Amino acid sequence: MASILALLKDRPMHGYEMIQEIGERSGGAWRPSPGSVYPTLQLLEDEGLIVSASEGGKKLFTLTDSGRSEAETGPEAPWEEAGRGVDWEGVNEIRQAGFGLMEAFGQVWKTGSADERKKALTVINDARKKLYLILADEH
């Protein structure tokens, strides 16, 4: 809620635009889902802190006077907390490993025989189990 109010202090925005802004301003550490943003926008509107107007089939949200007062007392940039302490190099390694795994699995699935597909599923399922065993510390 604080993030939405802080964003709307800058200018009126559409819901999707807010999702993108929070993602950018947090350096990619936090990208709220539409399923969390839109109900929050409705709640803020119900509370009289924001108003919406239709613009080209989309809703444009603006702070009301009471919403501006609320935003002024809230945190200036709540999204900054989401990016603090994130190991971006590690996140990138994880992302590359995951995409690489899915790419290889996709190739087997598209071009492999039924037997090769079955083997690929076994590899994926075994890998998932082994990852959970790491957490259980049962190597």
Side-chain angles (χ1 to χ4, degrees):
M1 223 187 320
S3 294
I4 290 171
L5 293 175
L7 284 176
L8 291 176
K9 281 192 323 189
D10 293 345
R11 67 182 190 282
M13 292 186 193
H14 302 285
Y16 183 71
E17 186 180 9
M18 290 180 218
I19 293 169
Q20 289 179 313
E21 281 287 322
I22 291 170
E24 287 174 21
R25 293 182 189 197
S26 70
W30 178 31
R31 188 167 176 92
S33 70
S36 65
V37 170
Y38 288 103
T40 302
L41 289 168
Q42 184 61 56
L43 177 67
L44 290 170
E45 197 167 15
D46 291 347
E47 291 179 5
L49 299 175
I50 63 173
V51 292
S52 65
S54 279
E55 181 186 82
K58 297 179 183 177
K59 282 187 172 184
L60 184 67
F61 296 92
T62 307
L63 288 173
T64 61
D65 289 340
S66 59
R68 185 158 300 283
S69 297
E70 184 77 22
E72 294 298 332
T73 63
E76 194 63 32
W79 43 81
E80 287 180 355
E81 283 299 312
R84 286 203 179 108
V86 175
D87 174 9
W88 292 109
E89 192 173 311
V91 168
N92 197 32
E93 285 179 37
I94 291 167
R95 204 174 274 148
Q96 286 178 344
F99 286 139
L101 177 64
M102 290 310 298
E103 188 176 324
F105 182 73
Q107 278 299 113
V108 172
W109 204 256
K110 287 177 192 171
T111 63
S113 66
D115 187 49
E116 289 168 331
R117 288 179 179 183
K118 187 176 180 180
K119 287 177 184 177
L121 280 173
T122 300
V123 168
I124 294 290
N125 288 327
D126 286 347
R128 186 184 71 246
K129 289 173 190 173
K130 287 179 181 181
L131 288 170
Y132 281 122
L133 286 175
I134 291 170
L135 292 175
D137 201 30
E138 298 175 11
H139 315 277

